[in-house]
Amino acid sequence: MARPVNIALVGMGWWGQKMLSVLQSAPDDIKVVRAVEPNVDTVRQLCADKGIALSADYADALNDPEVEAVVLATPHSLHTDQIAAAVAAGKHIFCEKPLALTKAEAERSVALCRDAGIVLGMGHERRFEPPVAEMLAMADAGTLGRIHQIEANFSHDKFLTLARDNWRLKADQAPAGGMTATGIHLLDLSVRLLGAAESVLCICEQLSSDLPQGDTVAAFVKFKGGGTSYVSASLANPFISRFAVFGSKGWVDIRDKAHVEAPDGWIVTSAMAGGPILTREIGKAEPVKDNLVAFARAVRGGTYPITADHLVNNIALLEAVFASAKSGRIETVA
């Protein structure tokens, strides 16, 4: 690129600091010029050491002519209004997942960005993991045949140490256990492979912790074009990440060796019709960085791979998951 995209990191908690760290290795694509964090004292020294302007007010980033784009690592319920404010200020937007908590909000944000010519990036870094990108390419090329089923689990116990009033555990920010923390990635990949969902049954339980919104969630999704996906997540068992897709011509099972916070490679097992079951290891990569770089290159005129339809269809499914977790019944996806 001719020059890096100047960004403001908005929200400098656990994940905001993760993004700041990985972007140190992408100076040709992205430059962090400002940070926004309500609790400024928690990151004052970090930002000073890196020469990054820091303030508590989001408006400071929006009013800064040096800032071309904002990266939102903020509570979920704030995203819709923060996106609208960024569009009004002419800033491109990268938003951490989930984009919104309702389909209507997702549609509003997507439409605002589209009409203003604003690039909207999304924190679905799982798509940028090398084996996942390879699997998606195989599916797109028809190599796996007709996709029949998806089975996926993304669990960790990192939230057990959070204060129980942390926003990541509140009903208005993160209903249905780990669905907004980890399950949303699996819903995204399911929608990417099978299209818009038709209905979902979700069970959310509190089985071995005092996490207020439950610690174990499972959703069984039926898709409008046929096919199903079983997505599960726990916030109370040791880390596991597995995504398996089964088609008429072959199947692929992808397992992470470590959490995406500190990726350590993947183990991929697969088989094609008439062939043997093969297992191979894929080395380390940094999908969080690669997603942000793809966003920056889209700002400079490239194409960002997560489409408006993917964004809206994913949140429509997420909203139905919330409804089913509450009702205990199969819910139709809007």
Side-chain angles (χ1 to χ4, degrees), residues 55-80:
S55 61
D57 193 342
Y58 181 44
D60 292 340
L62 299 182
N63 294 329
D64 187 341
E66 191 179 3
V67 171
E68 299 175 81
V70 294
V71 175
L72 304 176
T74 54
H76 311 144
S77 64
L78 301 180
H79 291 168
T80 301

Side-chain angles (χ1 to χ4, degrees), residues 10 27 32-33 35 54 60 63 71 84 101 155 177 195 207 232 240 270 276 278 302 323:
V10 184
V32 181
V33 297
L54 170 67
D60 292 340
N63 294 329
V71 175
L101 297 175
S155 300
L207 296 178
S232 55
I240 181 173
S270 62
L278 302 173

Side-chain angles (χ1 to χ4, degrees), residues 5-304:
V5 174
N6 289 341
I7 69 166
L9 280 175
V10 184
M12 288 295 292
W14 167 47
W15 203 247
Q17 292 184 45
K18 160 69 179 181
M19 290 192 284
L20 176 61
S21 175
V22 301
L23 288 178
Q24 305 307 299
S25 61
D28 294 337
D29 290 284
I30 299 182
K31 181 180 180 181
V32 181
V33 297
R34 178 175 283 278
V36 177
E37 170 54 50
N39 302 311
V40 291
D41 288 341
T42 61
V43 290
R44 191 184 305 277
Q45 191 60 54
L46 173 65
C47 291
D49 291 344
K50 296 186 179 297
I52 298 170
L54 170 67
S55 61
D57 193 342
Y58 181 44
D60 292 340
L62 299 182
N63 294 329
D64 187 341
E66 191 179 3
V67 171
E68 299 175 81
V70 294
V71 175
L72 304 176
T74 54
H76 311 144
S77 64
L78 301 180
H79 291 168
T80 301
D81 288 344
Q82 288 177 332
I83 288 170
V87 170
K91 310 295 187 185
H92 298 282
I93 302 143
F94 183 97
C95 183
E96 265 307 320
K97 48 75 186 167
L99 173 62
L101 297 175
T102 67
K103 181 186 180 185
E105 289 180 323
E107 288 176 325
R108 175 190 173 195
S109 293
V110 165
L112 282 174
C113 292
R114 180 193 63 228
D115 294 346
I118 295 293
V119 176
L120 177 58
M122 195 72 232
H124 286 314
E125 67 275 349
R126 306 307 304 262
R127 293 190 184 209
F128 294 83
E129 295 175 0
V132 173
E134 180 183 78
M135 176 269 293
L136 293 175
M138 291 174 68
D140 291 346
T143 305
L144 298 177
R146 176 66 162 93
I147 304 300
H148 297 150
Q149 293 180 315
I150 292 166
E151 295 177 3
N153 185 293
F154 184 6
S155 300
H156 64 68
D157 52 8
K158 291 178 177 291
F159 289 3
L160 291 178
T161 60
L162 293 178
R164 294 305 181 253
D165 61 353
N166 186 284
W167 69 266
R168 293 178 182 276
L169 302 177
K170 290 184 176 180
D172 63 339
Q173 303 287 346
M179 196 54 71
T180 58
T182 57
I184 184 71
H185 291 291
L186 310 179
L187 298 181
D188 168 63
L189 291 175
S190 298
V191 166
R192 168 66 174 80
L193 286 162
L194 288 170
E198 178 180 298
S199 62
V200 61
L201 174 64
C202 178
I203 305 298
C204 184
E205 300 178 289
Q206 187 184 63
L207 296 178
S208 65
S209 75
D210 64 347
L211 295 176
Q213 305 312 315
D215 54 38
T216 305
V217 63
F220 187 76
V221 186
K222 182 177 186 297
F223 289 84
K224 291 180 179 179
T228 57
S229 176
Y230 173 73
V231 167
S232 55
S234 171
L235 294 176
N237 64 243
F239 170 77
I240 181 173
S241 175
R242 171 181 179 259
F243 191 89
V245 58
F246 303 93
S248 60
K249 296 181 180 179
W251 57 264
V252 180
D253 182 300
I254 301 167
R255 299 177 187 244
D256 293 59
K257 294 173 71 175
H259 191 279
V260 69
E261 180 185 25
D264 192 33
W266 296 264
I267 298 171
V268 180
T269 307
S270 62
M272 301 302 295
I277 295 176
L278 302 173
T279 298
R280 59 195 171 99
E281 292 200 22
I282 294 178
K284 294 180 182 180
E286 189 50 82
V288 174
K289 180 200 73 176
D290 294 341
N291 189 6
L292 287 160
V293 167
F295 165 72
R297 292 179 179 176
V299 169
R300 290 287 181 257
T303 301
Y304 189 68

